[in-house]
Every structure is written in C-alpha cells, then in structure tokens.
Amino acid sequence: MKLFENFPIEFVYGFIAIAGGVARYLNQYTQNGKFHFGLFLASGFVSGFSGYMFALLGQSLNLPTEMLYIMAGVGGFTGEQTMKFLLEHVTKKLT
C-alpha cells in the first residue's frame, strides 16, 4: 500500500508552492536579518495560492507533470508577480 496513493496532486502543488515562498522569505531574511513570524506565515499563504494557480495554468496547457511541479515552486517563490502574470494571461485570452 502506497502512502499517498489517493492523495490529490493539488495538495502537492500547494505544498511545493508554499516551500517556494518559504525559500523566498528565508532568502530575504538572510539579506536583511529581520524575521517576522506574521510576515512569514502571510508569505507562505500567498505563495501557496499563487504557486497553486500557476500550476493549474500549466495543467490547463497540458504541460508534463514535471513542469507542473516546477511551475508550482517558481510560482510560490515569485508570489504576487505570478498573480500579475496570470491576470495578464487570462485577460489576453478573454479579449
């Protein structure tokens, strides 16, 4: 019996996205030396959402699974810039 046999892949995308956001926050922490737990949690939440949305974009484009993992991590790391890109992409599709 596999541990994550029936585990939805979307949770994996979200976890990878949060990890990307945590990596970005810790990278900023090493540069400026100020750690705020509230900002850390907020960064993880925003990163999880944006990375998950970016992975769903890749899924809608029928990209390979490996690319979806990459998109989730990069989307989480870049955070709000990812959401701006997605908004532009959707707006172009609608017009």
Side-chain angles (χ1 to χ4, degrees):
M1 183 167 121
K2 295 181 182 177
L3 182 61
F4 297 110
E5 185 174 343
N6 296 320
F7 197 70
I9 193 67
E10 289 81 11
F11 285 114
V12 176
Y13 298 152
F15 178 76
I16 292 171
I18 290 170
V22 166
R24 178 182 45 126
Y25 187 82
L26 293 177
N27 183 43
Q28 290 174 349
Y29 169 68
T30 60
Q31 292 175 359
N32 64 19
K34 296 178 183 176
F35 185 85
H36 299 283
F37 190 70
L39 290 176
F40 177 75
L41 291 178
S43 177
F45 180 79
V46 170
S47 298
F49 178 75
S50 60
Y52 176 68
M53 291 293 112
F54 203 47
L56 289 181
L57 172 67
Q59 196 173 41
S60 72
L61 296 172
N62 293 319
L63 295 177
T65 303
E66 293 81 7
M67 277 302 295
L68 300 179
Y69 296 138
I70 292 168
M71 290 180 76
V74 169
F77 189 85
T78 56
E80 70 180 63
Q81 292 89 359
T82 298
M83 296 309 295
K84 290 177 186 175
F85 173 79
L86 289 174
L87 180 62
E88 290 172 8
H89 180 76
V90 170
T91 303
K92 286 179 186 177
K93 292 288 184 181
L94 295 176
T95 57

